Amino acid sequence: MPKMFDQWCARSPHYNDSHREWADTVKRFVAREIEPHIDAWERAGELPRELHRKAAEVGLIGLGFPEEFGGVTEGIDRFHGLISGAELAQAGAGGLLASLMIHGVALPPVIAAGSAELKRRIVPAVLAGEKIIALGVTEPSGGSDVAALRTRAERKGDRYVINGSKTYITSGMRADHYVVAVRTGGPGARGISLLLVDKGAKGFTQTKLDKMGWHCSDTATLYFEDVEVPVENLIGEEGGAFKGLMANFNGERVGIASSSNAFAMVCLEEALAWARERETFGTRLNQYQAIRHKFSEMARMIFATQAWVDRACESVMRGRDDAGEIALLKIQGARTMEFCARESAQILGGASYMRGCKIERIYREVRPNVIAGGSEEIMLDLAAKQLGFV
């Protein structure tokens, strides 16, 4: 049986031959370079740096980024990016997507607002898979309320001096460069700036965090104690970072919704393969009406979510970036993933509780999709405001 996403792409008017060819490229990469090793990487607690270089060679890392820095833009649209996430999800490990593709949220601010010198120094190496870049926004004192962040950077001559901390930072241990949100002005959104901090800077340290899931993605708390960076490392205008961060969040939320739905598809496919072979009382599981209804319910949610993802992606491509709708879409994607993980686990029974089972791993990794990019509760409130319900 063809994969659900393959079937969707074959029928949907949003996907053409270029998209399907790209899907085949990523599918082969996942089968060759990821699936044989993903369990070992989960145990190791991180991805090998060599994987970034291999992903760059097939075009995964540079997809959609400017060609002058080693990216690939010709014939590329946002649907190619959605396909990347959907195919990477076939490995059944959310940490793979989070860590391997972290440059997708960390690099855009540098490209959009960084100086020419900063771009030349940072972007080509990241797109070649030689360097890793991370984004530092969330703090121990708060997450989704970006305008209230406390990490401070004081300008002293030709340097900024940073004090504070960040937490839950993806690739926080392995990254070579960090795009860090800091307060350079007064309270609120207008006082926030972005600074690039290089690993190894004096006073800059990291502590690894252990997590329920996403094991192959290293996560860290970052500490800044009188960390000095040159003023040339300022990304954009001082005090002008908030709007760009919010725009960055919208793209991240569409990606989370899409990947969540892709993991839901993996759950359904794994459970269906099991139900076609497993017998109880002399009857295969998929012959029971109760089990068939579970599959139908999962498919109903998956199809609805994928249609919404495609609609949002097309809207963004046309210059419409509806924050309220995207916030609700992120919730829809995470809830679909959560529902399908639960129902698939019920179908597999005890087998779903064993390590090495994709459904076991996906079940543990529902929560980051609900929380990352803005918690469900804050997304609901944001949507209410954006859609005029207040």
Side-chain angles (χ1 to χ4, degrees):
M1 174 184 173
K3 298 291 186 180
M4 287 188 73
F5 191 71
D6 293 342
Q7 295 182 59
W8 180 271
C9 290
R11 294 193 302 262
S12 172
H14 295 295
Y15 299 88
N16 56 36
D17 288 343
S18 172
H19 297 123
R20 287 184 278 272
E21 289 172 6
W22 176 239
D24 289 341
T25 296
V26 183
K27 197 187 307 291
R28 290 192 296 270
F29 177 77
V30 170
R32 181 180 69 250
E33 302 292 349
I34 294 175
E35 288 194 322
H37 313 292
I38 191 64
D39 289 330
W41 296 340
E42 284 279 295
R43 291 191 295 270
E46 64 180 26
L47 300 177
R49 294 184 73 96
E50 179 63 22
L51 183 65
H52 290 259
R53 288 187 280 269
K54 290 180 178 179
E57 289 174 1
V58 298
L60 260 172
I61 302 297
L63 191 76
F65 287 97
E67 295 186 2
E68 62 182 298
F69 301 117
V72 181
T73 57
E74 186 175 356
I76 300 300
D77 61 25
R78 287 182 175 267
F79 284 100
H80 288 87
L82 295 186
I83 287 168
S84 298
E87 294 297 342
L88 288 170
Q90 289 298 316
L96 169 72
L97 265 166
S99 192
L100 182 62
M101 307 304 285
I102 185 61
H103 69 289
V105 294
L107 204 55
V110 177
I111 292 174
S115 67
E117 188 280 329
L118 197 64
K119 293 175 187 178
R120 285 194 298 269
R121 180 165 72 89
I122 301 299
V123 180
V126 171
L127 296 185
E130 298 169 358
K131 299 289 185 180
I132 298 170
I133 189 168
L135 179 67
V137 178
T138 301
E139 298 186 345
S141 60
S144 298
D145 188 4
V146 177
L149 66 82
R150 298 179 181 178
T151 297
R152 187 153 196 94
E154 299 281 352
R155 181 165 180 173
K156 295 184 178 180
D158 63 351
R159 319 286 286 181
Y160 281 101
V161 181
I162 308 172
N163 282 283
S165 61
K166 301 290 179 179
T167 196
Y168 311 140
I169 306 305
T170 299
S171 293
M173 296 301 296
R174 296 185 308 141
D176 303 286
H177 310 291
Y178 299 78
V179 175
V180 182
V182 297
R183 185 164 300 285
T184 52
R190 294 183 179 179
I192 297 173
S193 303
L194 289 178
L195 290 172
L196 185 89
V197 181
D198 294 322
K199 191 169 189 176
K202 184 179 179 181
F204 175 39
T205 56
Q206 307 88 36
T207 299
K208 186 175 182 179
L209 299 174
D210 292 324
K211 310 181 296 299
M212 178 191 298
W214 282 15
H215 288 168
C216 66
S217 172
D218 62 295
T219 306
T221 296
L222 314 179
Y223 300 96
F224 305 89
E225 297 181 14
D226 293 328
V227 176
E228 296 187 6
V229 299
V231 294
E232 290 80 12
N233 281 26
L234 177 68
I235 300 170
E237 296 181 359
E238 186 174 294
F242 186 79
K243 185 177 180 180
L245 283 172
M246 292 303 100
N248 207 33
F249 273 131
N250 284 332
E252 181 183 4
R253 288 164 188 162
V254 173
I256 290 171
S258 177
S259 61
S260 295
N261 205 45
F263 285 118
M265 293 183 190
V266 173
C267 287
L268 188 155
E269 290 161 357
E270 292 287 303
L272 181 58
W274 174 272
R276 285 174 166 168
E277 297 296 329
R278 182 73 166 178
E279 290 188 1
T280 59
F281 307 105
T283 302
R284 289 183 180 176
L285 279 182
N286 69 327
Q287 297 303 308
Y288 289 104
Q289 185 183 60
I291 301 299
R292 294 199 302 269
H293 285 188
K294 287 183 183 294
F295 286 120
S296 292
E297 281 294 301
M298 285 190 279
R300 177 181 63 82
M301 295 186 70
I302 287 169
F303 291 149
T305 303
Q306 191 62 47
W308 196 353
V309 166
D310 289 359
R311 177 177 181 272
C313 186
E314 184 180 39
S315 294
V316 171
M317 286 169 56
R318 292 181 176 180
R320 292 187 57 193
D321 207 351
D322 191 329
E325 181 177 333
I326 289 173
L328 293 178
L329 172 59
K330 178 188 173 290
I331 296 170
Q332 173 75 12
R335 288 187 180 180
T336 299
M337 177 183 177
E338 188 166 28
F339 178 82
C340 292
R342 180 195 183 281
E343 292 298 272
S344 297
Q346 285 296 109
I347 293 169
L348 264 72
S352 72
Y353 205 63
M354 300 296 107
R355 290 291 172 95
C357 171
K358 290 182 181 180
I359 292 172
E360 182 272 338
R361 192 156 56 213
I362 292 171
Y363 204 133
R364 282 187 288 111
E365 296 181 343
V366 168
R367 302 280 26 112
N369 294 275
V370 177
I371 297 167
S375 69
E376 183 172 292
E377 293 75 14
I378 289 177
M379 292 298 93
L380 286 169
D381 203 46
L382 170 64
K385 293 174 181 177
Q386 291 287 325
L387 298 174
F389 301 152
V390 179

